[in-house]
Amino acid sequence: MSKVDTAWLRLDTEANRMVIHGILFLKPAIQLDAVRARVAERLLRFPRFRQRVVEHGDSAHWVEDQGVDIAHHVVAERLPRRRGLSRERALQDRLADLAAQPLAADRPLWMLHLIEDYDGGSALVARVHHCIADGIALIAVMLSITDGGIEPPMPKATKKGARVAAATVDAEPEWLADAMVKPINAWTVREIQRMRPIEGADDGEATGRAKGAKGANDARAANGATGGKRAKAGAEPADVSPADRLGKQVLKDAAALIEAPDDAKTRLKGKAGRAKRVAWGPALALDAVKAVGKSLNVSVNDVLLGCVAGAIGAYLRAHGDDTRGQEIRALVPVNLRPLESAWQLGNRFGMVPLPLPVGIANPVKRLYAVHAQTQALKQSLRPALALGLLAASGSVEKAAQRAMLKTLSRKATAMMTNVPGPTQPLGFCGATVDRVMFWAPQAGDMSLGVSILTYAGQVQFGLIADAGLCPDPERIVAHFEPQFQQLLDLALMLPWEAEA
């Protein structure tokens, strides 16, 4: 097992299982036999779904499980119902129960639970240990097992066989070095280009974003300003080489990861327990989110993160907390994997702490504060360095890794995952995948797992929370759509530019 995947294996605790949970809502209903046949035909082509984990001392290994029992890994169940409990709430409670349970260590680390009769269709709950794959890789797997799905690109030598050779996935030193070198190369190229002013370049966009915190109208006006020559006043001396700046940047970003102070103490920060709560809300239209982002000159990701910060802030204030000037951190994954290698599974991303300005009630100021933070992360080397640190943690003994985990969990309150899914509706076993949701696990004592997934023109927001620290995550979810509506209303109030 790679050192990075070993780290995820060992992050498992009684309080937080490192298991990714997902739900596919299907219409019409599907049958258990059809799901088992599809899994046997397509999912077991991937070695990790046929292998179990064996640990020897401080290392872990993938071992082929000769007796993979589909009947154990794909099961049917009925939702337990209580008087006055909706079917949706019953499903949320069942998912919370599953999130607290470990996967069987003597079998491949995944399970599918089919609820055959749910809201006029079926619901398929997937549980996959994080040591098998990250979110981007699992999206590729999901695409491959849908109706008409094709397997992800694989080396030509293995395409002829029905299964992928396990030996082709373990070249960790090469991909780990590549994942760290490419961001460094890209950063160096940017620095070299920065030393060469471009005549007639338009700095309007940068100016508009810098002034964004003053309000949407100021940002739009600045963005429309005429360009000019790049200013040289703020440039470093000409004798400072890109290599010197690279060294300073590495030290700066490493310090930002390692020496960051503990996260703000809120009601969401504390000792996590075993019990969980799960919630989700109605989807947003992706086109509307894109329109807001374009109007305010920020990315779709900025808009959604701003809404998450607003929802958490509103939740804290509703509970009587004073959030003025307060930020909490979320660990945000940054993909470092070429999509053509998604078939290899495993984890190839860096986690970086992103401050969420929960204390800013003004939705526009909060949005531009988030935008400034995401831009700073994009210009840094922190994602690549974080991947290297995670790989290093997979090489040390368990006691040392647990100490690193405690330090990490003190620096953040939430694990945030934002994954782009398919743009068109999928089919599965003759049914249409109506909606998709998933939840990444929290690490250490983090209380929140925040999930954002775009699918078929919709944006789905969900939470999994520690029951002791956040017993009512549905109240955070309830604030998400109103926070977006505020931005949408403001965007619609902006002056329209005359069409050419």
Side-chain angles (χ1 to χ4, degrees):
M1 182 181 291
S2 76
K3 298 304 181 185
V4 175
D5 295 342
T6 300
W8 281 106
L9 176 70
R10 293 179 179 171
L11 285 175
D12 244 345
T13 65
E14 286 288 330
N16 281 315
R17 302 293 178 183
M18 291 299 101
V19 178
I20 299 171
H21 290 80
I23 303 180
L24 274 65
F25 294 90
L26 303 151
K27 289 187 177 180
I30 60 175
Q31 301 300 312
L32 179 64
D33 289 345
V35 178
R36 286 176 172 172
R38 178 64 59 87
V39 167
E41 175 193 359
R42 299 191 188 178
L43 190 62
L44 295 188
R45 294 178 304 184
F46 299 92
R48 294 295 178 253
F49 290 89
R50 308 190 308 266
Q51 297 168 334
R52 57 188 175 87
V53 176
V54 175
E55 293 194 68
H56 295 292
D58 292 327
S59 62
H61 305 270
W62 295 108
V63 177
E64 192 81 10
D65 189 342
Q66 301 298 332
V68 177
D69 184 0
I70 292 295
H72 170 80
H73 288 277
V74 184
V75 299
E77 61 177 83
R78 291 183 177 274
L79 285 178
R81 297 289 302 277
R82 299 194 304 270
R83 185 180 299 275
L85 187 71
S86 69
R87 293 187 66 81
E88 181 176 78
R89 184 55 187 267
L91 180 58
Q92 292 172 343
D93 288 349
R94 178 54 180 154
L95 189 66
D97 291 340
L98 290 172
Q101 299 174 14
L103 292 164
D106 59 343
R107 293 186 172 97
L109 296 174
W110 62 275
M111 287 281 294
L112 297 178
H113 300 253
L114 177 64
I115 300 165
E116 293 177 294
D117 179 19
Y118 180 84
D119 192 26
S122 299
L124 183 63
V125 178
R127 306 182 68 213
V128 181
H129 199 286
H130 217 313
C131 71
I132 289 180
D134 56 35
I136 294 294
L138 289 178
I139 287 290
V141 169
M142 183 180 73
L143 288 171
S144 74
I145 68 173
T146 56
D147 295 349
I150 58 174
E151 62 189 65
M154 302 180 187
K156 293 181 180 179
T158 63
K159 276 191 174 182
K160 294 181 180 180
R163 294 181 172 181
V164 182
T168 64
V169 302
D170 295 321
E172 181 184 27
E174 288 80 2
W175 73 254
L176 185 57
D178 187 59
M180 298 188 70
V181 168
K182 280 187 175 181
I184 291 174
N185 285 345
W187 187 93
T188 304
V189 169
R190 287 198 304 268
E191 286 298 295
I192 292 174
Q193 292 174 338
R194 190 172 68 87
M195 295 173 66
R196 300 174 181 175
I198 302 172
E199 295 297 324
D202 185 358
D203 285 336
E205 180 180 357
T207 304
R209 288 180 174 174
K211 294 183 178 180
K214 295 182 180 180
N217 289 331
D218 288 349
R220 289 174 61 84
N223 192 51
T226 57
K229 295 182 180 180
R230 288 191 185 273
K232 299 181 182 180
E236 293 186 34
D239 58 348
V240 178
S241 69
D244 290 336
R245 285 196 297 275
L246 174 61
K248 292 179 181 178
Q249 188 71 31
V250 169
L251 292 176
K252 175 184 175 182
D253 289 334
L257 288 172
I258 298 172
E259 299 176 4
D262 291 353
D263 203 6
K265 293 186 181 299
T266 68
R267 67 176 56 247
L268 299 175
K269 194 69 181 167
K271 182 67 177 177
R274 186 172 180 271
K276 305 299 173 190
R277 295 288 185 269
V278 174
W280 58 77
L284 301 178
L286 180 57
D287 284 344
V289 180
K290 289 180 177 179
V292 170
K294 186 175 181 180
S295 297
L296 300 178
N297 199 25
V298 297
S299 70
V300 167
N301 191 51
D302 292 335
V303 174
L304 295 174
L305 291 177
C307 292
V308 171
I312 295 174
Y315 171 84
L316 292 173
R317 289 188 290 274
H319 281 76
D321 295 352
D322 183 359
T323 63
R324 286 175 295 181
Q326 197 167 58
E327 292 181 338
I328 65 171
R329 294 195 202 98
L331 286 184
V332 178
V334 179
N335 181 46
L336 297 171
R337 175 205 306 272
L339 292 180
E340 62 269 17
S341 65
W343 65 274
Q344 294 177 331
L345 302 185
N347 292 275
R348 303 192 183 182
F349 65 94
M351 287 191 302
V352 291
L354 177 71
L356 296 177
V358 297
I360 301 179
N362 183 302
V364 175
K365 287 185 177 181
R366 184 176 61 247
L367 173 61
Y368 284 111
V370 168
H371 172 74
Q373 294 286 359
T374 58
Q375 288 298 107
L377 284 179
K378 289 177 182 178
Q379 299 300 319
S380 77
L381 298 172
R382 276 173 253 174
L385 294 174
L387 179 64
L389 289 173
L390 194 62
S393 73
S395 303
V396 300
E397 60 183 17
K398 290 183 180 180
Q401 189 185 43
R402 289 295 169 88
M404 294 173 67
L405 169 61
K406 288 183 179 179
T407 300
L408 176 68
S409 65
R410 288 200 304 267
K411 298 179 186 298
T413 297
M415 183 76 78
M416 174 92 67
T417 308
N418 186 352
V419 175
T423 59
Q424 299 297 322
L426 302 175
F428 185 77
C429 294
T432 297
V433 180
D434 185 56
R435 190 161 49 138
V436 180
M437 288 185 294
F438 81 106
W439 292 264
Q442 307 101 288
D445 285 327
M446 294 182 199
S447 62
L448 296 179
V450 180
S451 168
I452 300 174
L453 176 72
T454 58
Y455 169 71
Q458 301 290 312
V459 180
Q460 188 68 58
F461 173 63
L463 278 178
I464 184 168
D466 181 83
L469 298 172
C470 183
D472 49 356
E474 65 278 0
R475 295 184 64 180
I476 297 179
V477 171
H479 287 296
F480 185 73
E481 193 277 336
Q483 292 294 325
F484 172 72
Q485 191 62 48
Q486 287 181 350
L487 290 173
L488 180 60
D489 291 344
L490 289 168
L492 291 173
M493 292 170 64
L494 293 174
W496 290 83
E497 296 178 1
E499 294 184 3

